[in-house]
Amino acid sequence: MTSLVLTLTETLRYKGALGQWSWVLHRITGLGVVLFLVLHVIDTSWAYFYPELYVKAIAVYQSPLFTIGEFALVACVVYHAYNGLRIALIDFKPVWWRHQEKAARYVLIATAVTLVPVFVLMFSHVLKHYQSPDVQVLGLDAVVESQIPFIAGFVIAGFAALLLSAITMAILPKSAAGPKAKPTGSQIERFWWSFMRLSGVLIIPLVFGHLAAMHVLQGVFDMTVAGMTVVGVPVSGDATALWNGINASGTAVEFVGERWNHLLGGVAIWRVFDAALLMLVTIHGFNGLRYVLTDYTSFNPMLKRAAIYLCIMGAVVLLVTGIGALLGTIDQTAVDMAKEATAKLFAP
Amino acid sequence: MEVTFRIRRQNPEDPAKKKPYWQEFTLQNVAETDRVLELMHRIKWEQDGTLAFRRSCSHGICGSDAMRINGRNALACKLLVRNVGSKIQLEPILGLPVLKDLIVDMEPFFDHYRSIMPYFVNNSPVPANGRERIQMPEDQVFMNDTGNCILCACCTTSCPSFWANGKYVGPAAIVQAHRFVFDTRDEATAERLDVLADPDGVWRCRTIYNCTPACPRGIEVTKAIGEVKLAVMRGTNKGVIKASDIKVNH
Ligand code: HEM
Ligand code: HEM
Ligand code: FES
């Protein structure tokens, strides 16, 4: 066993081939997307639970700091997706490892080729936003302040997981809590190994579709433009109806309401889409987080247990809040609250 | 030609040398075809008798002298100066406790090796001639490659998953398991696959591919691990490896 610091520094010092760097990138990009996902699902659930907070959250997303983060996020998702595909393919046919170095290079090239047009389009949304005469930008202090509850939440969750782990270790008999005498097969790990690969492949169309809607076809800036169409929702002729495919109030809440209330053949397709994305990404992401955390905490059974509890807690919280919001109905009152909050957002 | 060595040294028993430190040595009259191990002998014999390292056969067979050479694991007896250049950096392999200089404690490594039952199991009656259990050449090819392992630990100690988590059974033990799992005469496949399906078994492999180029025997280590994973997933060794996928040994 090597200390955590040594493991990390030596990972960078060892002269491995491209495969080592692919793994480092896969790990960092995966963790980056999980971090974003936590903020994102909780924020999004506010569209239903706390419309005023959602308005604020979207203003935060439109701030320069988050715009930079958004470019990084898209790069992370694209790289992780392509590289995950490489991993899954070679796992399926181990003899293809002979092409892995080339495949790793193709992953980098494909990522770059995808990102160039995507970044150009994303940048055009940014430009359009800053060129509009009435552009208003949330100050950096407000942006940082808005993230404090999340940081506090992470710290509290960490302590709760540690406490829970310490308690279980104290209650459980030594034999059950300590290391096993002999290694034995784990059906659960078998399941997770397959799940990571299968879910990864299923996530690709979902998350690429989601990002195409939110970054390429429209940008996060288009969510708050009054009178704008809403991506994925056709405009109905009825100007008097609230849900007509036009974000009349120009609030982020109405934007989400338009999408979630849109019915295609009687099915709220965007809710179904978001639910599938939510479940796959959350479970994949938190199991990935468990892989990473248990790798680095294997030297201490209590820390390792805490890491597992933390991942379970995180996944459950996200699934409950995310599904809770998807089951709710955004109505006229919510839009009115959002309108009021939008008016107050930049008021001195 | 002149060659400079930069060697990572440490002596846990000497309070002044408890912490690892770098020491440089310069050697004259070195030929391109000298092996790194020979030059280490010259340092030990001509300059500093306290330099500690392991070696036995000097011919890439015993697996004693695995170390990190110019940033990558290899056997000092298999690399020539012309493979590594005139600036040579040596470090102990990572992930096992350093006993002194380039010598590490191999016991945790061998514990993992022992855990996968590295011996032939067959309880059916001995063949009529009372001697060997014959195997057809077309069955033998499945364990051709992994049968070459010399347990030098180059692969296991090149693996970031193993550095992070010493409980991970590691590439070498999986390669050794592969040799028995895909031995058509062996009867302990189910038991061995169960050991390897432990949470710290094959699942800790993230296909980083440091192990494959580190192998001084040219074993396709990551491929072997992948095949063991598939055997674990399917619960059988049957049909995992196609004969046409097997590398031709020279
Ligand atoms: C900055 C980039 C992104 C923006 C602007 C964005 C925007 C949105 C918006 C507006 C919604 C509300 C529902 C809807 O209109 O469909 C939503 C929901 C959702 N997004 Fe994103 N998204 C982004 C990136 C991502 C990524 C990378 C993921 C996956 C890792 C993701 C996963 C989800 C999920 C799971 C939901 C449903 C949440 C719930 O059920 O409460 N989003 N997103
Ligand atoms: C877009 C499609 C995706 C594909 C094809 C994919 C594929 C994979 C695969 C195959 C693994 C297993 C790696 C291994 O065991 O060596 C993995 C790990 C991981 N994934 Fe994904 N994934 C995708 C999306 C995501 C998303 C959206 C997130 C975040 C919410 C995520 C987070 C992670 C994390 C944290 C790991 C663990 C990394 C590690 O152990 O080093 N992945 N992914
Ligand atoms: S000394 Fe025996 S393998 Fe190098």
Side-chain angles (χ1 to χ4, degrees), chain A residues 47 54-55 58 62 214 218-236 238-260 330-332 334-336 338-339 342:
Chain A
Y54 191 60
V55 165
I58 291 301
Q62 294 174 340
M214 300 304 170
Q218 287 190 333
V220 65
F221 304 112
D222 296 324
M223 291 177 69
T224 52
V225 179
M228 182 103 175
T229 54
V230 174
V231 60
V233 181
V235 179
S236 76
D238 187 357
T240 54
L242 175 58
W243 308 123
N244 55 7
I246 300 276
N247 183 356
S249 66
T251 61
V253 172
E254 183 171 350
F255 179 95
V256 176
E258 287 283 358
R259 283 172 56 81
W260 283 355
I330 295 175
D331 54 15
Q332 183 68 55
V335 174
D336 290 341
K339 246 199 256 178
T342 308

Side-chain angles (χ1 to χ4, degrees), chain A residues 12-80:
Chain A
L12 303 178
R13 266 191 76 234
Y14 190 88
K15 289 213 168 57
L18 190 52
Q20 179 181 329
W21 302 111
S22 298
W23 165 73
V24 169
L25 273 180
H26 195 77
R27 191 156 263 202
I28 293 174
T29 53
L31 291 178
V33 182
V34 172
L35 175 66
F36 167 78
L37 188 71
V38 175
L39 308 183
H40 182 51
V41 170
I42 293 176
D43 278 350
T44 303
S45 75
W46 293 341
Y48 169 65
F49 292 117
Y50 305 103
E52 318 88 322
L53 286 183
Y54 191 60
V55 165
K56 175 92 180 288
I58 291 301
V60 168
Y61 275 91
Q62 294 174 340
S63 73
L65 186 68
F66 272 69
T67 300
I68 296 168
E70 190 185 331
F71 280 78
L73 172 74
V74 171
C76 283
V77 172
V78 172
Y79 178 82
H80 188 94

